[in-house]
Amino acid sequence: MSLTSFPGGGSSSTGIPITKVTMPALAEMKRQGKPISALTAYDYATSRLVDEAGIDMILVGDSLAMVVMGHDNTLAVTVDEMLHHTRAVRRAVRRALVVGDMPFGSYHGTVAQGVANAVRFVKEAGAEAVKIEGPRAELVEALTEAEVPVVAHLGLTPQSVNRMGGYRVQARTVDAVLRLKADAHALADAGAGALVLEGVPREVAASITAELPIPTVGIGAGPDCDGQILVFHDLVNMTFAPPAKFVRRYADAATLFRSAVEHYREDVERRAFPSDQESYHLSAPVRKALGIESDDEEMDTLVNKDALPDF
Ligand code: KIV
């Protein structure tokens, strides 16, 4: 493959060269003490915005089952649905590392099935890594062997909601902390490139982050992780539910979108949209031939504007 055709090539709209974020680049950021920014995204438009805003890692999270598809939890989303969204994100992203989230059931059988499904994310959707939940060192080793970089995920793992009996902060007892630490080390030893730590006490995340050679990316795990990730819809208030303690709302898209849509509906109802300027017009000779009355001069200005491309 020619280096000039490498997808990370090119430059931004400001002419600054884009340096593609890769899994080894995340490890280098940890070494340099540079915080890793990560967000979920699920479609072309938001992924473009997230990428252009300089976020390092975009996770096409199975949280899309809830925030995009309206399910009560993440369990129902399928591999094909995840691939569909991952492809859309892939088309939008030039710089960030694109990680596909393997959905419930797609890696819970044999290791061979897990590897086969993970390969689909890379081959059919352009993911540069996959994320899997839970202490699955054997699978991580097999994926690494198969050249599929892995982001592991421990702590509150939403695909275990039925076993956990709800979404609860994890690792609050000495035994549970020691187990979580042992699992984290096993995943790093098996070849995981990064570890998402979700819903664990700050002290636990800090100590795992200090011990592990790979970057930790926290969500509800305090500020001492190597990076932070949030669900995009939480960040911009598009979830229709009170936010969890760890969420910071950076914008109120729900209010902005609702007001724009209400304004549009009102304009349609009072026939204020579209205006004459927002309409296409016939030329003077065609109007004349059809016997359509009009103020020629004003109309011709509008027709001339129509000489521009229609859309
Ligand atoms: O699916 C998801 O959005 C996630 C993040 C919360 C880490 O797994």
Side-chain angles (χ1 to χ4, degrees), residues 5-289:
S5 69
F6 188 69
S11 55
S12 69
S13 52
T14 56
I16 299 165
I18 291 170
T19 308
K20 183 77 185 74
V21 180
T22 59
M23 197 60 119
L26 295 187
E28 184 55 29
M29 288 176 80
K30 177 174 178 114
R31 272 191 291 278
Q32 293 182 7
K34 256 178 107 179
I36 297 163
S37 58
L39 260 185
T40 68
Y42 317 100
D43 62 35
Y44 180 85
T46 45
S47 302
R48 260 197 85 150
L49 296 176
V50 168
D51 191 45
E52 287 172 10
I55 291 292
D56 300 313
M57 179 177 114
I58 295 182
L59 171 69
V60 189
D62 64 351
S63 48
L64 74 83
M66 299 170 79
V67 298
V68 175
M69 298 168 77
H71 291 292
D72 288 339
N73 56 46
T74 61
L75 304 182
V77 69
T78 66
V79 171
D80 285 338
E81 287 164 343
M82 291 300 302
L83 293 176
H84 170 83
H85 285 274
T86 306
R87 280 185 209 108
V89 171
R90 176 67 278 166
R91 284 179 210 118
V93 173
R94 299 176 72 194
R95 177 182 172 274
L97 181 77
V98 175
V99 181
D101 206 3
M102 293 190 63
F104 177 65
S106 67
Y107 58 99
H108 299 75
T110 65
V111 166
Q113 283 165 344
V115 172
N117 281 322
V119 166
R120 289 191 69 194
F121 275 82
V122 177
K123 222 176 174 59
E124 297 177 34
E128 293 156 322
V130 296
K131 181 171 80 59
I132 58 170
E133 296 184 6
R136 297 172 194 279
E138 196 192 345
L139 177 58
V140 171
E141 211 168 314
L143 289 169
T144 307
E145 187 69 23
E147 309 293 355
V148 180
V150 181
V151 175
H153 183 165
L154 289 177
L156 194 171
T157 47
Q159 291 174 13
S160 317
V161 61
N162 288 330
R163 181 177 53 74
M164 293 184 305
Y167 300 111
R168 301 181 204 296
V169 175
Q170 302 292 299
R172 300 188 104 150
T173 65
V174 173
D175 275 359
V177 171
L178 295 179
R179 205 173 329 119
L180 184 68
K181 282 186 162 204
D183 289 343
H185 279 281
L187 290 166
D189 291 348
L195 173 67
V196 169
L197 284 172
E198 177 167 359
V200 298
R202 173 179 181 172
E203 299 79 6
V204 178
S207 127
I208 292 176
T209 300
E211 287 175 16
L212 282 198
I214 60 170
T216 59
V217 181
I219 172 163
D224 308 303
C225 294
D226 296 304
Q228 297 292 330
I229 184 163
L230 279 178
V231 168
F232 179 84
H233 290 57
D234 279 333
L235 186 90
V236 299
N237 188 24
M238 283 284 285
T239 54
F240 307 95
K245 176 181 182 174
F246 60 82
V247 169
R248 189 180 295 177
R249 295 239 195 268
Y250 284 86
D252 187 358
T255 301
L256 185 74
F257 288 173
R258 190 174 279 123
S259 143
V261 172
E262 280 170 4
H263 201 161
Y264 163 72
R265 177 184 54 74
E266 283 160 14
D267 279 355
V268 170
E269 286 174 359
R270 62 191 179 94
R271 298 198 184 283
F273 175 83
S275 67
D276 202 33
Q277 282 75 13
E278 289 160 327
S279 307
Y280 300 104
H281 293 277
L282 291 171
S283 64
V286 177
R287 286 199 308 274
K288 200 166 167 204

